Amino acid sequence: MTDLFEMGSVGPYIWGAYGVTAVALVLLAVFSLRANKSAAEMVDRMRPKRRKKSDKEQA
Amino acid sequence: MHKFANPAQFNRLADRILPWAKAILAATLLYGLYLALFDSPPDRQQGESVRIMYVHVPAAWMAMFCYMVVAGASFTEIVWRHPLALLAGKAAAPIGATFTALALITGALWGKPTWGTYWQWDGRMTSVLVLFFLYLGYMAIWRSMDEEEKAGRAASILALVGVINIPIIKFSVEWWNTLHQPASVFRLDGPTIDGNMLWPLFTMAIAFKAYFVIVFLYRMKLEINRRKISVLRMSQVNG
């Protein structure tokens, strides 16, 4: 297990590269998804609501 | 092409693509990480540090690919006035900037154990840094103007001018003395890299491409929703 992390003394560089890549890509994806979700909710809130027709009107 | 100018049609297409892209990302990322970290052999000269290549090189490819998407969208907007082209460029730019930053950071982390330095002002590294600034400039122009169409037009012109940097990045290792090795994958006479390293490299490249498709489609949806919000606001103001 220690070998896996040390990788011949260059472990910190390797895990650093993979770690920073993972963090950056996850943050970008989460931010994009959340921003899209809240924008979609806002569109739904702002859209003029269609009034339900009453039974009388339907008749 | 104008078939997908309709946002509803675009959203339907995106919803069909997204599950496939997510499945491809999950499969290639898991397999690619296994190959890159555990299965591929250490390099004869670089030793274990060669494993950084499997994130650094695909990130650098994606940095250039995303820029071509931004430039292609800008060209489409300027020539054909495609309604979604501007949004496509705007959606792709932050993804490209992220990949460019990752190429620079992982390159520095690879450079230290391999060359003994994090940074050198050589042709390849400097031109990739210029690419990062082009992305920042493109995004800054979008934010700097209230009128979206004007901002988009100015950003598109910058993106098209900046295309000149792409061949400079590609051929910098041949034109100038540099610490980077010459091209070893995309060559006319075939790749010079060993198959044991080529396979994880391509697997990770496919994973990064699938990631791009997913985030790009969500960001396109986001830009379409933002446009809807501004239209709804205008209609509320106008009564």
Side-chain angles (χ1 to χ4, degrees):
Chain A
M1 199 67 178
T2 319
D3 287 351
L4 176 68
F5 286 102
E6 286 182 359
M7 289 210 178
S9 81
V10 290
Y13 298 105
I14 296 170
W15 293 112
Y18 279 80
V20 92
T21 303
V23 169
L25 294 185
V26 166
L27 283 179
L28 179 67
V30 167
F31 174 77
S32 302
L33 261 70
R34 288 178 70 165
N36 177 52
K37 199 180 164 197
S38 67
E41 284 169 0
M42 189 160 211
V43 169
D44 281 344
R45 277 202 304 275
M46 290 176 79
R47 251 193 202 132
K49 299 275 181 298
R50 281 190 190 152
R51 196 165 53 91
K52 266 193 177 175
K53 283 184 180 176
S54 64
D55 291 343
K56 238 183 193 178
E57 280 172 327
Q58 278 179 345
Chain B
M1 196 166 55
H2 277 77
K3 191 182 160 194
F4 300 110
N6 178 345
Q9 199 142 8
F10 173 83
N11 278 331
R12 275 198 296 277
L13 177 73
D15 289 338
R16 277 207 298 271
I17 295 172
L18 276 167
W20 290 99
K22 286 175 186 173
I24 292 169
L25 172 65
T28 51
L29 188 64
L30 288 174
Y31 186 51
L33 284 174
Y34 164 73
L35 292 176
L37 290 169
F38 305 107
D39 190 63
S40 66
D43 183 67
R44 185 167 55 90
Q45 286 180 321
Q46 299 180 36
E48 299 284 355
S49 67
V50 75
R51 295 184 197 285
I52 297 174
M53 172 178 74
Y54 305 120
V55 283
H56 170 71
V57 173
W61 286 342
M62 288 307 300
M64 290 191 284
F65 171 78
C66 291
Y67 196 83
M68 291 314 294
V69 172
V70 174
S74 302
F75 183 79
T76 309
E77 202 283 323
I78 286 174
V79 176
W80 291 292
R81 297 271 181 147
H82 191 285
L84 292 185
L86 263 186
L87 303 186
K90 196 181 176 190
I95 313 172
T98 305
F99 277 120
T100 312
L102 286 174
L104 290 167
I105 294 167
T106 55
L109 288 167
W110 194 11
K112 184 66 180 167
T114 312
W115 302 324
T117 178
Y118 286 111
W119 184 260
Q120 185 86 35
W121 290 100
D122 79 347
R124 175 60 65 83
M125 286 185 252
T126 309
S127 53
V128 174
L129 185 65
V130 168
L131 181 69
F132 183 62
F133 289 138
L134 280 169
Y135 276 122
L136 293 186
Y138 179 88
M139 292 188 291
I141 290 174
W142 265 109
R143 284 172 171 264
S144 65
M145 294 182 206
D146 288 335
E147 215 176 306
E148 202 175 52
E149 211 160 293
K150 265 188 186 173
R153 186 55 61 93
S156 297
I157 291 167
L158 173 74
L160 288 176
V161 172
V163 168
I164 191 73
N165 193 42
I166 299 296
I168 294 175
I169 294 173
K170 167 79 180 134
F171 295 110
S172 56
V173 288
E174 289 164 30
W175 292 342
W176 297 294
N177 280 329
T178 165
L179 287 171
H180 275 85
Q181 70 273 31
S184 53
V185 179
F186 296 114
R187 293 163 56 100
L188 290 174
D189 54 347
T192 54
I193 186 170
D194 187 78
N196 285 327
M197 293 173 175
L198 201 57
W199 189 236
L201 187 62
F202 276 133
T203 311
M204 288 299 284
I206 294 168
F208 278 23
K209 196 79 88 195
Y211 172 90
F212 167 80
V213 170
I214 294 164
V215 178
F216 175 71
L217 290 177
Y218 275 115
R219 295 196 72 88
M220 278 292 288
K221 283 165 168 269
L222 167 66
E223 294 304 333
I224 290 169
N225 280 328
R226 279 181 179 160
R227 192 163 271 193
K228 279 181 191 166
I229 290 167
S230 67
V231 169
L232 286 167
R233 277 202 182 125
M234 286 292 285
S235 65
Q236 280 176 356
V237 169
N238 294 333

